[in-house]
Amino acid sequence: MAILVTTTAALIIFVALIRPRPSIPSHEPVMEALHAAVQSVGEPRPRPVIDLAALDRNTNRVLQSLGTHHQLRLVTKSMPSPQFLRYVAERARTHRMMEFHAPFLPELLATFPEADLDIMFGKPMPVALAESVVAHLAPLDRLRALRVTQWLVDSDEAVDEYLAWARRLHGSDRGTPPLRLALEIDVGLHRGGFTTPEAAASSARRILESSVAQVSGLMGYDGHVGFAPRALGPRRKTVSREMRALASRYNEFTTAVVAMGIPQHKLTLNGGGSRTYMQYGEGGFAPQDIAIGSAFLQPTDFDGPELESHEPALFIAAPVIKVIDEPAVPFVGAWAGRLWAAYDPNMARGFFIYGGGWASRSAWPRGLRTHALYDHAPNRNLLPNQDLYVGSKNYDIKRGDFLFFRPEESDLLFDFEEILAVRGTKVEARWRPFTRRF
């Protein structure tokens, strides 16, 4: 009997020691202000929310880092909304865009009527798609699109296809401006592009000799740098070493192309990314045209030492549609929910939201988590129904309140009909994503 009592007491003590502590919501003025703004809109449904104050501070950080030695190019896929792009472009004083989907071209042209608009494609567009999009533009827009767009070519085959298109354009209208072709170069990512300076120079010569196209620049993406493996040594040293090697490779490509008779000042030398842009701000690196997108919003995939000075500016707000105490367990019943909540006080209350399933993390109120039985892989259900989040009795959340989530990638904006741009407790603007879809 004594052994049983001792064992039972030890078990109770053990359970008490490992029993989770109840989470307590924290006072967060910024998130509470965003919540008030979203509630003021009415029409409770899931919407992305952009914190304009945080966005402005991130923009200032980018501009301060780039300084006067580098030019900023906005990555449209990370900000897939014409009004959003316009907002950032005005504050960043740039009309340089990096595009990844040819059907967005008409909206970009309409959004930015400025003469200095410059659009570089961040991946090679199938020529048939590029030709179709341009052909469906009005005549004046067609000429403007050809003047402001740099089409990316990554191989001799792609050069042949684009030169054939250029000849068709000039065959139908001798006044057509030369097609602007940018060469994709491999500076270490190994995701395609010209792998040697000699190969790039050879294609550049063919473009120059065509008389219907011109070499507008180079694009060497450094997307691998931010994922330097630990096995190579201390991260900071590995990144610094790779950036120096990248600069050397980029300079070799530039020298080879310039030797074909193209003045360097007429070339767009593009590179960069949200994880590496601050490295270019140190000076001495080859690309002068730096493409940045996610750094303005800092989705969770970009949390890390590179952007530690940035702050989250993008959230998803989803309304609570049901509140349930001690959520019951299917096939078992209410007693299992009560037992679970008795062990884990953070299972005491359940909050079903309108929607869910996004590639995101719970952000506010802090301490909530998904119910284990309702958890699933992100984006498995592209038309989510209702996800269940649980917390302790300390959470006074009611139907009609909103839970906030941080997306893993800002491309997720493309999935929603409307984007709320919020400053403090006020909705300053309601933006929409590009009207076309993939």
Side-chain angles (χ1 to χ4, degrees):
M1 184 66 178
I3 295 176
L4 178 61
V5 171
T6 302
T7 302
T8 303
L11 182 60
I12 293 173
I13 293 172
F14 175 73
V15 171
L17 288 174
I18 67 170
R19 183 172 181 256
R21 295 179 179 274
S23 55
I24 300 174
S26 57
H27 174 56
E28 298 183 50
V30 171
M31 298 306 300
E32 291 165 11
L34 293 178
H35 184 265
V38 173
Q39 278 197 318
S40 71
V41 173
E43 302 177 15
R45 55 187 169 94
R47 287 185 177 92
V49 178
I50 293 177
D51 181 350
L52 292 177
L55 171 62
D56 291 347
R57 289 190 290 270
N58 289 340
T59 302
N60 291 337
R61 292 180 181 103
V62 168
L63 297 177
Q64 289 168 6
S65 180
L66 293 182
T68 59
H69 301 292
H70 298 88
Q71 295 171 309
L72 170 64
R73 186 174 296 272
L74 302 181
V75 177
T76 63
K77 77 179 186 67
S78 300
M79 299 176 276
S81 160
Q83 301 98 323
F84 182 12
L85 284 167
R86 184 83 212 177
Y87 179 90
V88 176
E90 289 178 354
R91 279 149 184 80
R93 300 179 298 279
T94 183
H95 296 127
R96 294 169 176 248
M97 306 289 150
M98 177 163 280
E99 184 51 72
F100 290 83
H101 189 46
F104 290 169
L105 190 59
E107 282 187 87
L108 275 180
L109 294 171
T111 302
F112 296 99
E114 289 80 3
D116 63 342
L117 174 64
D118 186 273
I119 302 169
M120 173 182 275
F121 274 91
K123 63 184 176 187
M125 289 292 105
V127 172
L129 174 62
E131 187 170 6
S132 175
V133 169
V134 171
H136 283 85
L137 294 170
L140 291 179
D141 288 338
R142 188 180 310 140
L143 289 175
R144 182 168 180 249
L146 295 174
R147 290 192 187 100
V148 305
T149 304
Q150 302 187 55
W151 305 92
L152 197 67
V153 290
D154 66 317
S155 63
D156 290 337
E157 183 180 7
V159 170
D160 289 339
E161 293 172 350
Y162 271 88
L163 289 181
W165 176 30
R167 293 187 184 99
R168 290 193 293 273
L169 287 169
H170 280 260
S172 59
D173 183 355
R174 292 291 180 180
T176 299
L179 207 59
R180 303 172 71 211
L181 302 181
L183 307 180
E184 181 179 7
I185 58 176
D186 183 3
V187 292
L189 178 59
H190 305 321
R191 195 175 66 177
F194 294 96
T195 57
T196 67
E198 294 76 18
S202 176
S203 281
R205 182 189 297 111
R206 292 175 52 228
I207 294 170
L208 290 172
E209 292 173 350
S210 72
S211 76
V212 294
Q214 63 185 31
V215 179
S216 61
L218 306 178
M219 193 283 280
Y221 182 44
D222 61 14
H224 62 294
V225 176
F227 298 94
R230 295 179 181 272
L232 296 179
R235 178 183 177 83
R236 188 178 298 274
K237 288 185 178 180
T238 303
V239 168
S240 180
R241 183 172 61 249
E242 180 61 19
M243 288 299 290
R244 288 194 299 271
L246 184 151
S248 177
R249 288 191 289 268
Y250 208 119
N251 283 329
E252 291 173 2
F253 277 100
T254 304
T255 299
V257 171
V258 168
M260 296 298 100
I262 307 171
Q264 183 169 329
H265 72 273
K266 291 188 176 181
L267 290 174
T268 298
L269 302 178
N270 175 264
S274 289
R275 289 187 175 89
T276 55
Y277 81 85
M278 66 295 297
Q279 301 286 339
Y280 294 100
E282 296 175 1
F285 293 119
Q288 282 83 47
D289 183 273
I290 310 300
I292 301 174
S294 296
F296 293 103
L297 295 172
Q298 201 193 1
T300 62
D301 276 1
F302 290 80
D303 288 345
E306 298 88 0
L307 296 179
E308 61 186 0
S309 65
H310 286 240
E311 54 192 295
L314 173 63
F315 303 90
I316 303 171
V320 174
I321 57 175
K322 302 174 187 174
V323 178
I324 299 176
D325 289 330
E326 300 174 344
V329 178
F331 299 106
V332 181
W335 69 266
R338 289 193 292 270
L339 182 61
W340 201 342
Y343 165 69
D344 184 354
N346 298 306
M347 296 291 295
R349 304 198 75 203
F351 311 101
F352 283 95
I353 62 170
Y354 188 136
W358 307 291
S360 62
R361 301 178 190 173
S362 178
W364 186 85
R366 293 186 191 275
L368 299 181
R369 67 172 190 261
T370 55
H371 192 292
L373 298 181
Y374 287 78
D375 201 10
H376 51 80
N379 291 332
R380 184 175 179 179
N381 181 355
L382 294 181
L383 190 61
N385 183 355
Q386 46 190 314
D387 273 358
L388 174 59
Y389 286 80
V390 292
S392 70
K393 293 181 179 179
N394 295 318
Y395 290 86
D396 185 24
I397 298 173
K398 305 178 181 64
R399 293 173 61 251
D401 288 340
F402 285 78
L403 305 189
F404 283 72
F405 306 85
R406 286 185 61 204
E408 294 178 3
E409 293 279 351
S410 56
D411 308 39
L412 178 136
L413 288 168
F414 198 54
D415 296 339
F416 293 84
E417 183 181 12
E418 185 178 62
I419 304 161
L420 300 181
V422 175
R423 192 178 303 278
T425 60
K426 305 294 183 183
V427 176
E428 195 168 283
R430 298 167 78 155
W431 298 331
R432 291 188 177 275
F434 286 107
T435 56
R436 296 293 300 271
R437 292 292 184 265
F438 289 120

